[in-house]
Amino acid sequence: MYLQINRKSSEGIYFSKKSSEFYFEYKDYRLIIDSPKTNNQLQEKSSSLIDFIKRVIDRTLTNDWMTSFIGGHYAIVLWNVNNLSTWLIRDIAGAKTIYYSTNHDVITVGNALYDFKVPRSLNIEALRRKRKLCYLIDGDTFYHEISEVKMGNVVTFDELNMPIISHNFGLKLLKYDSLDTTEECVKLLRQNIIDVHENMASNSNIVLLSGGIDSSVMLASLNEIKTAHMDLRAVTFKLKGTSEDETPYARDVAERFGTKIESIEVDPNCKSMVEKFETEVVQMNSPYHGALIYGNLSAGRDSCYFAGQDSRLHTPAINWIDNLFFDYVEKSQFQSLYSSAKNKSAFFTKILDGLSRSNHRSIRGLARLGYFWDPQEYVRKYMLGAENKGSGIVEYEVINNSKLFKVEVSSQRDLYNQITEFRWGTQFTSDMHYLQDMAMFNETNMCLPFYDIRLARFSSGLPFKKATAFDKGTSQFDSMKVEKVNKFFLREAFKTDLPLHLASRQKAVSRTLYLIFNGPLGQYIRDIVHQDSQKAKDSIALVLGYSKVATWFLNRRRFDPQDERLLTDVFQLSCIIRRSNKHD
């Protein structure tokens, strides 16, 4: 969608919509919805849409009503054709996004940054926060002149076109563990997951299938609700030359359900990688290198792709040291969360910081235990994805401006859920956005069932200790090797549906970026970073804090799987550089 609303011109409003969006009229009001629902599905809900419009105008929306509205993820623009009053609505989970830019006369609205035809300059403060936390914070964008509606917000505008938050709907995660037995929790989780898939499913459904537990559960759930009129298939991707290949696992689970699967191999040495980088990846709201591999989604408007991005609420990513940390702060009745900032010892912190950078795993583990003394630092360093990113000034600014640690902590589950709410506005929304970007480029739909807000709220009350438990399983790419695996509730809920070696497989992340950088795109990005480095004090790498990683990159010619994290930083830097001088 792309709209320009001029309140002081007889031209009024100009708008355009993509074929993947729904347009609705009611009296003097017009509404555009970007949603995975098909036009027919939304048209059938006309009475709900009318009720929604009335509730927006009357300001009678409630959190529960918004949770049930449409039943999915959406971005909505609503306007009055007479007085041009305008409302922007973003779903509570933040799966979709909607941007706006204003001046005294015109409001420009869209769901893709590259559509905006307004002067733009890089938002240095936002990008520095991104450098520190690895992700843009909810509401931040690449540009000073363009803002993002925050997740769960309804924004309207005053007579000077200044934005006003009309409503603010929170995630409303639970504070305590469910009192249900483990068996009851497993049963309820299974049913909730199946219900979400049934609500999101269309007549044509394609699972992005890796063979991991998340994507396998999606296929199992859709197979459970499959009808004679529902098409269900899968697609899996492989980068040519990788030794970390998940396609055999994907084929195994597809065969289990008799599902047709397409296996696509992408060649990192193909020159088209450069063209795809420039025409698609650089223009994404959330640029991500994975789009180079599995960005070709050709099913069309009436189909839904299912992606297994996981909200981590039913499967908390907690290791044994984290578990000790949660026990420690609970025994201190969570008071240490509030007192630690007042009792810091700069000398002790400096020692721990040095130990945490050791090459020896055991010493790094000892340093991690030492940070129990400063729980806020522990959370920032090890649970917010900000470790090893410099001085920490930006992270503290972000944490102090959030609700984290400013409200009473009631339980271990509550502490984890507060951390999750913070990460939801950084990592989780970024994870959802790049998938929605790929769907938007291909004018198809992307469903993210594990981020359904009702499922997330249910999962946020699963007994914490059981949810964080580890069990014996198999390795990422070697089914004969025994490894510890988590995601207890998810595996229990679907263990009878899946082959044992898949149901118990450790989470796998294929490291493939080094192959891309060893190909033509790597040399292209090298030229981009080199040209930026010649700008001295005006270098974007210098301004944003990427200088060290840029120097490391320019001094290397071949890369290995172990370079994945640094190459991810280089990839993000190259996208920012390109966006700094390319606005068409």
Side-chain angles (χ1 to χ4, degrees), residues 283-422:
Q283 296 183 9
M284 293 171 70
N285 294 329
S286 183
Y288 180 62
H289 59 270
L292 295 165
I293 304 171
Y294 48 87
N296 298 311
L297 310 176
S298 57
R301 164 59 189 163
D302 294 326
S303 298
C304 286
Y305 283 87
F306 279 77
Q309 298 304 102
D310 187 341
S311 74
R312 286 96 165 160
L313 285 165
H314 56 273
T315 56
I318 299 286
N319 59 33
W320 69 272
I321 298 181
D322 290 336
N323 263 314
L324 287 177
F325 170 75
F326 274 78
D327 288 340
Y328 166 76
V329 293
E330 183 177 54
K331 287 178 180 177
S332 65
Q333 297 182 331
F334 303 104
Q335 293 303 312
S336 55
L337 290 170
Y338 308 100
S339 62
S340 63
K342 300 177 182 178
N343 299 321
K344 286 184 178 180
S345 165
F347 178 72
F348 189 41
T349 299
K350 187 174 182 178
I351 291 176
L352 290 178
D353 194 43
L355 294 176
S356 67
R357 292 194 295 268
S358 171
N359 292 326
H360 299 284
R361 185 175 180 180
S362 58
I363 294 178
R364 293 198 304 272
L366 182 63
R368 187 165 182 152
L369 288 169
Y371 276 109
F372 283 17
W373 169 74
D374 187 350
Q376 287 197 31
E377 179 72 5
Y378 184 93
V379 170
R380 181 202 68 81
K381 192 172 183 66
Y382 297 111
M383 306 195 76
L384 296 182
E387 69 270 28
N388 299 323
K389 287 290 184 178
S391 66
I393 295 174
V394 174
E395 295 96 304
Y396 284 127
E397 172 195 336
V398 172
I399 292 171
N400 290 336
N401 289 336
S402 75
K403 295 180 180 179
L404 195 60
F405 306 130
K406 288 190 176 182
V407 297
E408 180 181 353
V409 177
S410 307
S411 65
Q412 289 190 5
R413 172 52 91 170
D414 183 28
L415 174 58
Y416 180 81
N417 288 353
Q418 286 193 41
I419 293 169
T420 296
E421 289 202 29
F422 179 88

Side-chain angles (χ1 to χ4, degrees), residues 530-544:
H530 175 71
Q531 290 173 18
D532 176 71
S533 69
Q534 301 303 301
K535 296 179 180 179
K537 293 182 179 180
D538 293 327
S539 162
I540 289 176
L542 177 64
V543 171
L544 297 182

Side-chain angles (χ1 to χ4, degrees), residues 90-267:
R90 185 173 168 207
D91 64 297
I92 295 171
K96 294 287 187 176
T97 194
I98 188 163
Y99 302 104
Y100 64 92
S101 179
T102 65
N103 60 33
H104 293 304
D105 298 325
V106 180
I107 305 170
T108 304
V109 179
N111 56 3
L113 287 169
Y114 69 86
D115 278 339
F116 278 70
K117 309 303 180 186
V118 299
R120 288 174 281 177
S121 59
L122 288 181
N123 187 338
I124 300 301
E125 292 77 12
L127 292 173
R128 282 175 175 167
R129 287 192 288 268
K130 174 181 169 64
R131 169 64 181 142
K132 293 293 184 179
L133 290 171
C134 303
Y135 307 95
L136 282 173
I137 296 171
D138 185 45
D140 279 351
T141 78
F142 280 77
Y143 307 110
H144 267 299
E145 298 80 6
I146 305 174
S147 300
E148 180 185 42
V149 176
K150 291 188 177 183
M151 54 194 242
N153 275 7
V154 180
V155 172
T156 188
F157 299 87
D158 65 16
E159 62 277 4
L160 297 177
N161 282 350
M162 297 299 294
I164 302 170
I165 297 176
S166 176
H167 287 83
N168 183 3
F169 304 103
L171 293 170
K172 304 294 184 185
L173 303 182
L174 301 181
K175 291 183 174 294
Y176 296 98
D177 287 349
S178 168
L179 297 179
D180 290 329
T181 65
T182 298
E183 292 74 18
E184 289 170 334
C185 287
V186 167
K187 183 178 179 180
L188 288 170
L189 177 62
R190 178 186 173 85
Q191 191 57 54
N192 271 274
I193 290 174
I194 291 174
D195 288 346
V196 166
H197 282 78
E198 186 169 20
N199 185 61
M200 291 184 173
S202 69
N203 290 330
S204 176
N205 306 282
I206 308 101
V207 176
L208 298 174
L209 189 63
S210 68
I213 185 65
D214 299 326
S215 65
S216 298
V217 163
M218 288 194 305
L219 185 58
S221 299
L222 289 167
N223 187 72
E224 180 89 3
I225 62 171
K226 184 180 177 181
T227 66
H229 303 290
M230 181 187 292
D231 178 49
L232 176 60
R233 52 195 174 92
V235 61
T236 188
F237 297 86
K238 173 187 177 181
L239 196 65
K240 186 176 182 180
T242 183
S243 59
E244 298 177 334
D245 179 14
E246 291 192 272
T247 56
Y249 300 99
R251 288 193 293 268
D252 281 354
V253 71
E255 182 179 351
R256 171 81 170 199
F257 296 109
T259 302
K260 180 181 178 181
I261 184 170
E262 178 184 10
S263 183
I264 298 175
E265 184 176 69
V266 178
D267 187 352

Side-chain angles (χ1 to χ4, degrees), residues 68-88:
S68 62
F69 175 63
I70 299 179
H73 300 140
Y74 49 83
I76 301 173
V77 180
L78 171 67
W79 72 93
N80 185 300
V81 294
N82 290 327
N83 61 25
L84 298 179
S85 52
T86 307
W87 294 264
L88 313 179

